[in-house]
Amino acid sequence: MGSFTNACNISLIFSVIWMLQMLITTGAEPQVPCYFIFGDSLVDNGNNNNLVTEAKVNYPPYGVDFPGGEATGRFSNGENTADIIGKLLGFTNYTPPHATASGRGIVKGINYGSGGAGILTETGRNLGGRITLDLQLSHHRSTVFKIIGLQGGNDTYTKHYLSKCIYTVGMGNNDYINNYFMPDKYNTSKIYTPEQYADVLIQKYTKQLRTLYTYGARKVAVFGLGLSGCTPAKISTFGANASGCVDKINAAVALFNDRLKPLVDGLNKNLTDAKYIYINTTNISLGDPSSAGFTVFLSPCCTASVDFGKGQCKPDQPPCSDRGKYIFWDEFHPTEKANMGTASRSYMAASPLDSYPMDIRTLALLKL
Ligand SMILES: *[C@@H]1O[C@H](CO)[C@@H](O)[C@H](O)[C@H]1NC(C)=O
Ligand SMILES: *[C@@H]1O[C@H](CO)[C@@H](O)[C@H](O)[C@H]1NC(C)=O
Ligand SMILES: *[C@@H]1O[C@H](CO)[C@@H](O)[C@H](O)[C@H]1NC(C)=O
Ligand SMILES: *[C@@H]1O[C@H](CO)[C@@H](O)[C@H](O)[C@H]1NC(C)=O
Ligand SMILES: *[C@@H]1O[C@H](CO)[C@@H](O)[C@H](O)[C@H]1NC(C)=O
Ligand SMILES: CC(=O)N[C@H]1CO[C@H](CO)[C@@H](O)[C@@H]1O
C-alpha cells in the first residue's frame, strides 16, 4: 500500500492500443451520440487558457507528446483521461473545450473542465479564475438550448438524444488541495472536521449531479478522487509519512470517496430512468506500477516546483526523455501513460472494484 500509481498492467495498455487501432481502422460509429465532460485540471483541455489564473498550462513543455507537440492547455505531456475515454467511446475527434466550441459540432459533446475548479464556489480562488462546477453546469444548460435549436426546436427529440449520451464528472480534488489543506487561505479546516467537510461537499455534489439530470443526462460516470496525499507537490509541502505519502490528506479524501457509492445508489434509487456509476480511482491507482513499466513514482518528469504555478512545469524547460517511465508529469498531474491506465480501466474494468455497479463501456451500451 501507499505507492501511488495510475498504473495498469502491460496487457491492459496493449488492449487499449489495440482497441484504438480497431476504431481508427474500421471508422466505426461512436457507441453514443455525444460525450460531455465536467471536471478539473485532470480533464481541462484549454478552458482556462484565456482566464487570469495560475492554473493554466498553454506553454511548452506541456503537450510535447500531443499531436503536433501542441500546448493546448491540457495538464499533461499528451492526452488526458477524458481524451482517451472519448477515443474508447469511438469518437474520432477530440471533444472541444467549451471556451472555443461552436457550430454544429457541439451536438457531439463539450468539455467544460477547468483547472483549479471545485464543488464549492470559493475553491481554487487562490489560483485566480476558474470555472466552478456550478458554472460548468450553467454553461451546459445553455448548450442544451443551443442543441435544441440545432436539432429543429423539438425538445422531445433532443431530450431523448441527450439521454443516450455519456457524461463524466470528476470533482473534489481542489476542494481538498486548494481549499481544506490550505489553512492560511481558507477557513474550512477550522470550521469542519474532515467528516463534516466530506458531508458538506457531498451534499452540494448531490444537488449538482441532480441538476445534470434535469438537463437531460441519464448516463453519468462519477470519478472518485485520487490519492492527493501522494502527489510530489503535497509530499514536498507536508512531508511524507511511513507510507510514502501524506496520510492525513489521503485519509480526508477517503472520507469523501467512501460517500460516493452511497451517493450513486441514492441517485439511482430516486431517479429511476437514469444510471449513475462510480469510478473507483483508488482501486485503479493502487497496485504494482512496475508491471506497467513505470520506474519513477514520486518525481515529476518536467522541471517543476511548488513555487512556480503551484507545481506546474517551468516554461520551455526540456522534460525527461523517458516519459513512459514516469507516473507524474508535473508535481500534480499524471503523464499521458498514467492517464491511459486510468481511462482504460474506467472504460473497461480490470477488476470488479474498479467501477460500481458497472464500467463506462457497459453504461454506454445500456438500454434505459
Ligand atoms: C418531436 O420528436 C418526437 C420524437 O422524435 C416525435 O415523436 C414528434 O413527432 C416530434 N414532434 C414534431 C412536432 O415534429
Ligand atoms: C469562512 O470564509 C468564508 C469566505 O471564504 C466566509 O464567507 C465565512 O464567513 C467564513 N466563516 C468563518 C466562520 O470565519
Ligand atoms: C505523519 O507525519 C506527520 C508529520 O511528520 C506527523 O505529525 C503525523 O503524526 C504522521 N502521521 C502518522 C499517521 O504517522
Ligand atoms: C433520495 O430521496 C430521498 C427521499 O426523498 C432523499 O432523502 C435522499 O436525499 C435522496 N437521495 C439522493 C441522492 O438524491
Ligand atoms: C474501491 O477500491 C478500494 C481499494 O481496492 C476498496 O477498498 C473499496 O472497497 C472500493 N470501493 C468500492 C465502492 O468498490
Ligand atoms: C490496489 C487494490 O486494492 N487493487 C484491488 C482492486 O480490486 C481487486 C479485486 O477486484 C483486487 O484484487 C485488487 O488488489
Side-chain angles (χ1 to χ4, degrees):
M1 289 288 288
S3 67
F4 173 71
T5 79
N6 274 302
C8 60
N9 64 42
I10 288 175
S11 64
L12 262 162
I13 290 195
F14 283 135
S15 71
V16 175
I17 292 167
W18 177 79
M19 276 192 289
L20 292 175
Q21 211 87 47
M22 284 291 289
L23 290 166
I24 291 158
T25 51
T26 58
E29 279 293 298
Q31 292 141 33
V32 291
C34 48
Y35 174 30
F36 291 97
I37 300 144
F38 300 82
D40 53 28
S41 56
L42 292 176
V43 297
D44 187 346
N45 62 348
N47 287 307
N48 281 12
N49 291 354
N50 292 316
L51 299 183
V52 179
T53 176
E54 287 183 58
K56 64 174 170 187
V57 294
N58 50 341
Y59 58 83
Y62 286 93
V64 61
D65 297 312
F66 199 74
E70 199 193 343
T72 54
R74 286 168 172 83
F75 290 71
S76 186
N77 55 311
E79 294 176 341
N80 65 32
T81 319
D83 294 322
I84 302 165
I85 292 174
K87 279 190 180 174
L88 292 170
L89 285 168
F91 291 95
T92 45
N93 295 324
Y94 293 118
T95 305
H98 176 259
T100 56
S102 64
R104 265 211 75 79
I106 67 167
V107 304
K108 289 189 183 169
I110 284 185
N111 183 334
Y112 301 99
S114 169
I119 293 169
L120 302 182
T121 306
E122 62 169 19
T123 288
R125 72 164 144 65
N126 55 300
L127 298 165
R130 72 267 169 224
I131 306 155
T132 64
L133 182 52
D134 282 341
L135 202 48
Q136 293 183 25
L137 288 164
S138 133
H139 288 161
H140 185 57
R141 182 170 184 270
S142 311
T143 300
V144 169
F145 285 117
K146 284 186 195 151
I147 294 178
I148 294 172
L150 287 166
Q151 293 185 329
N154 180 340
D155 325 4
T156 316
Y157 176 86
T158 298
K159 204 176 162 204
H160 181 66
Y161 175 85
L162 291 173
S163 75
K164 293 186 285 182
C165 302
I166 290 283
Y167 301 74
T168 56
V169 189
M171 271 292 187
N173 293 299
N174 289 306
D175 296 288
Y176 286 94
I177 298 173
N178 286 303
N179 186 331
Y180 196 77
F181 286 104
M182 217 168 251
D184 51 329
K185 299 216 168 73
Y186 297 89
N187 59 21
T188 44
S189 62
K190 286 159 205 122
I191 304 173
Y192 306 115
T193 64
E195 284 79 8
Q196 289 167 336
Y197 188 62
D199 287 334
V200 167
L201 293 179
I202 290 290
Q203 264 169 30
K204 182 149 191 219
Y205 206 24
T206 305
K207 286 198 192 120
Q208 291 164 327
L209 291 167
R210 292 185 70 113
T211 299
L212 190 54
Y213 174 91
T214 66
Y215 301 155
R218 295 296 180 269
K219 296 182 171 192
V220 184
V222 180
F223 278 69
L225 307 187
L227 299 174
S228 310
C230 301
T231 55
K234 291 293 134 184
I235 291 169
S236 53
T237 309
F238 291 93
N241 288 101
S243 64
C245 301
V246 186
D247 291 348
K248 68 172 180 182
I249 299 183
N250 286 345
V253 165
L255 295 169
F256 176 85
N257 284 340
D258 287 346
R259 285 159 173 75
L260 289 176
K261 177 176 181 272
L263 168 58
V264 157
D265 280 335
L267 290 167
N268 288 334
K269 191 159 163 263
N270 293 4
L271 309 170
T272 52
D273 62 342
K275 186 63 89 183
Y276 288 75
I277 67 170
Y278 167 52
I279 303 298
N280 189 349
T281 330
T282 312
N283 199 62
I284 292 175
S285 65
L286 293 167
D288 179 10
S290 39
S291 65
F294 291 109
T295 54
V296 188
F297 312 133
L298 290 177
S299 307
C301 165
C302 73
T303 308
S305 92
V306 273
D307 307 320
F308 180 82
K310 304 285 179 288
Q312 286 156 205
C313 306
K314 286 187 181 161
D316 303 314
Q317 301 285 311
C320 68
S321 53
D322 42 358
R323 294 183 280 280
K325 295 190 171 141
Y326 283 70
I327 305 265
F328 284 101
W329 164 245
D330 63 15
E331 296 242 355
F332 277 119
H333 303 103
T335 53
E336 175 182 69
K337 184 171 167 190
N339 288 334
M340 200 178 267
T342 307
S344 66
R345 288 180 66 168
S346 346
Y347 179 74
M348 195 163 73
S351 129
L353 292 186
D354 285 357
S355 50
Y356 171 87
M358 64 187 75
D359 57 21
I360 294 175
R361 180 169 162 267
T362 313
L363 182 66
L365 296 170
L366 204 64
K367 295 263 179 284
L368 288 173

